[in-house]
Amino acid sequence: MKFGVAIFPTEYAISMTELAPSAEQLGFESLWVAEHSHIPTSRKTPWPAGGELPKQYWHTMDPFIALTAAALASKTIRVATGICLVIQRDPIHTAKEAASVDNVSGGRFIFGIGGGWNREEMSDHGTEFSTRWKLLRERVEAIKAIWTNDVAEYHGDLVDFGPMWCYPKPVQKPHPPVVLGGSGPKVLERVVRYADGWMPNRGDVVERIPELQRMAKAAGREPIPVTYYPKASASEVERLAQAGVDRLIWYVPADGRDAALKKLEDLGTMIRPYLKD
């Protein structure tokens, strides 16, 4: 079992240069950051978690800049997007930014991606909500082509470009792991088709793991790792470990250094019995 922490990196949160080494020292394997380019003030799309949307959603820093700071301040902890809103990003620039983070981190980058939920935010980027999953797949396939080919090209319905040079290439081969977030009815087939891991964001993940692995086997793939955001309790760690979850992640507060360090220490105490010497 691997353990990670996540945060909305903001100007008033604990700095990434302090959080990354602190989490690393406590035995955490990975550090994940959320992404929102902006939040439209109309607020027509309800927050899936319910209630008022916390202000950290529209104060979040660019994930690749935040992860670069984290990577340069640490040695072993993996740095990850959780999630990168690829549907709102140019795939060529995103391929370069992600590969650059993989280089400056010495091959520690994890590319967490997802389809997003805020319709108005997507619309401001010219993205249609109804076709966002197709757009996500094509952009991820295009990014992989850029990462893995000296001369890269991609020709899809929504993403299309001719032969190009684009460097740097990622340190990790063939490329950094792509972890797809989501819990919808079609998410498992999407994971099997173009991702290296599944990261459900709600619902009971346990009951769907056997189905995921059956689908992976049928597609000629090895078992697919599962990452999950559970409640912070030892009983949940035990339950999910037995069910085949590979990584657990918990958020630390984005509203100050002291609150983040307190939460981090509490989580570190909880996971300590599960860490290898």
Side-chain angles (χ1 to χ4, degrees):
M1 177 71 77
K2 300 172 183 176
F3 302 102
V5 291
I7 194 170
F8 281 72
T10 69
E11 72 273 19
Y12 45 78
I14 185 173
S15 71
M16 299 299 289
T17 55
E18 182 174 15
L19 178 59
S22 297
E24 183 175 85
Q25 290 168 10
L26 289 169
F28 289 96
E29 170 261 356
S30 50
L31 171 58
W32 303 67
V33 297
E35 176 180 34
H36 281 280
S37 60
H38 68 295
I39 296 294
T41 59
S42 67
R43 298 296 299 115
K44 292 179 181 178
T45 303
W47 184 33
E52 290 296 319
L53 185 71
K55 71 174 184 178
Q56 65 203 38
Y57 276 74
W58 61 92
H59 282 245
T60 303
M61 295 179 181
D62 178 89
F64 295 106
I65 293 176
L67 293 179
T68 296
L72 294 176
S74 58
K75 296 180 180 179
T76 61
I77 196 167
R78 305 204 67 168
V79 292
T81 50
I83 59 172
C84 177
L85 292 169
V86 179
I87 57 163
Q88 298 177 182
R89 287 179 154 270
D90 175 85
I92 299 171
H93 277 306
T94 303
K96 180 178 286 288
E97 289 174 326
S100 297
V101 172
D102 201 51
N103 271 263
V104 300
S105 68
R108 290 185 277 144
F109 177 64
I110 301 172
F111 194 37
I113 60 170
W117 57 271
N118 192 306
R119 292 172 184 249
E120 296 78 59
E121 183 182 356
M122 295 177 208
S123 179
D124 287 347
H125 290 278
T127 297
E128 292 288 339
F129 187 81
S130 61
T131 56
R132 72 193 189 284
W133 286 107
K134 181 177 182 179
L135 179 64
L136 177 66
R137 174 180 57 79
E138 289 195 4
R139 285 185 176 172
V140 169
E141 290 172 349
I143 288 169
K144 287 182 181 179
I146 293 171
W147 281 346
T148 58
N149 295 284
D150 180 28
V151 178
E153 61 183 290
Y154 185 85
H155 304 285
D157 295 330
L158 302 175
V159 179
D160 185 80
F161 54 80
M164 68 163 70
W165 294 305
C166 182
Y167 280 78
K169 303 301 183 186
V171 172
Q172 298 177 82
K173 304 302 179 188
H175 54 70
V178 176
V179 180
L180 179 62
S183 301
K186 295 183 179 180
V187 69
L188 298 186
E189 63 184 69
R190 293 173 179 136
V191 170
V192 172
R193 181 172 182 178
Y194 61 89
D196 304 301
W198 178 38
M199 185 164 56
N201 55 344
R202 62 181 60 87
D204 188 359
V205 61
V206 170
E207 63 188 20
R208 300 187 73 180
I209 292 177
E211 180 186 3
L212 171 66
Q213 306 307 358
R214 284 194 300 269
M215 293 172 66
K217 185 175 182 180
R221 297 190 54 179
E222 296 294 321
I224 294 175
V226 177
T227 294
Y228 191 53
Y229 292 79
K231 295 179 180 178
S233 72
S235 61
E236 273 293 273
V237 172
E238 294 286 352
R239 182 180 76 89
L240 294 168
Q242 293 176 11
V245 176
D246 300 271
R247 179 190 289 116
L248 301 179
I249 305 173
W250 295 277
Y251 271 98
V252 298
D255 56 357
R257 175 180 180 271
D258 292 345
L261 290 177
K262 175 63 168 62
K263 181 69 173 181
L264 192 63
E265 287 288 345
D266 291 344
L267 292 170
T269 299
M270 184 184 67
I271 69 168
R272 191 169 298 128
Y274 305 97
L275 299 179
K276 296 180 180 179
D277 293 331

